[in-house]
Amino acid sequence: MKFYIASDHAGFEMKNLSRDYLISKGYKVVDLGPNSDDRVDYPDFAKKCANAVVSDKGSFGVLICGTGIGISISANRVAGVRAGLCHDAFTASATRAHNDANILCYGARVVGMGVVESMIDAFCNTEFESGRHSGRVAKIEDCSMGANL
Ligand code: RB5
């Protein structure tokens, strides 16, 4: 699996730790920044990661801000992105199995590194279940087209 990872200033340290954890597990990782904990705007980094994931078919993303909320909302504005805001291994696994999420989001002020490692493991080791979930995921794409549901 190949990952693009980014954060804002609040997620900077956890972004670095998460990047190193992914590398230690043998995944290919592209760090899209930031490169310091200077204040930045999370939508800028969400957009970088979202565009990279959509352009590089089959790749995944990790996005981190203080709560995980702003950066996941921003990423989900990009068509083709399904960014799941997760809090534990259960939600990280479920967002792959049910939502076919291609970006894992979490909050550096919400979870610690132990939980992050368990979320990354769960996200990486869970396949999309397809079946009844496929039609729902297809409807997510309709949302980004602004179509009537
Ligand atoms: C930054 O202070 C904070 O607002 C941001 O990291 C994030 O939590 C927004 O949703």
Side-chain angles (χ1 to χ4, degrees):
M1 285 169 99
K2 177 178 178 185
F3 281 88
Y4 292 92
I5 190 166
S7 70
D8 70 355
H9 52 285
F12 172 69
E13 265 183 43
M14 190 168 271
K15 184 262 294 173
N16 291 345
L17 293 169
S18 302
R19 175 199 62 208
D20 294 348
Y21 183 70
L22 283 162
I23 291 170
S24 80
K25 290 286 167 179
Y27 301 112
K28 187 167 181 208
V29 185
V30 179
D31 185 344
L32 298 172
N35 299 316
S36 78
D37 63 359
D38 292 350
R39 274 180 197 286
V40 291
D41 297 331
Y42 54 80
D44 296 335
F45 287 87
K47 193 159 64 172
K48 270 191 186 186
C49 181
N51 286 336
V53 168
V54 166
S55 311
D56 186 357
K57 201 170 157 37
S59 69
F60 293 89
V62 172
L63 283 171
I64 308 152
C65 65
T67 58
I69 297 171
I71 211 155
S72 57
I73 290 173
S74 306
N76 277 314
R77 293 296 181 99
V78 176
V81 162
R82 291 174 301 282
L85 174 55
C86 297
H87 309 288
D88 50 32
F90 171 72
T91 47
S93 171
T95 201
R96 282 288 308 124
H98 290 198
N99 315 126
D100 198 15
N102 48 13
I103 300 186
L104 170 65
C105 302
Y106 42 88
R109 296 172 179 156
V110 181
V111 291
M113 264 319 284
V115 171
V116 168
E117 290 180 7
S118 71
M119 289 196 293
I120 289 173
D121 291 345
F123 189 86
C124 293
N125 294 321
T126 306
E127 295 288 330
F128 178 48
E129 279 177 16
S130 68
R132 71 186 191 280
H133 301 294
S134 296
R136 297 165 186 163
V137 169
K139 285 188 176 186
I140 294 174
E141 296 314 313
D142 286 346
C143 292
S144 49
M145 301 296 286
N148 293 326
L149 295 175

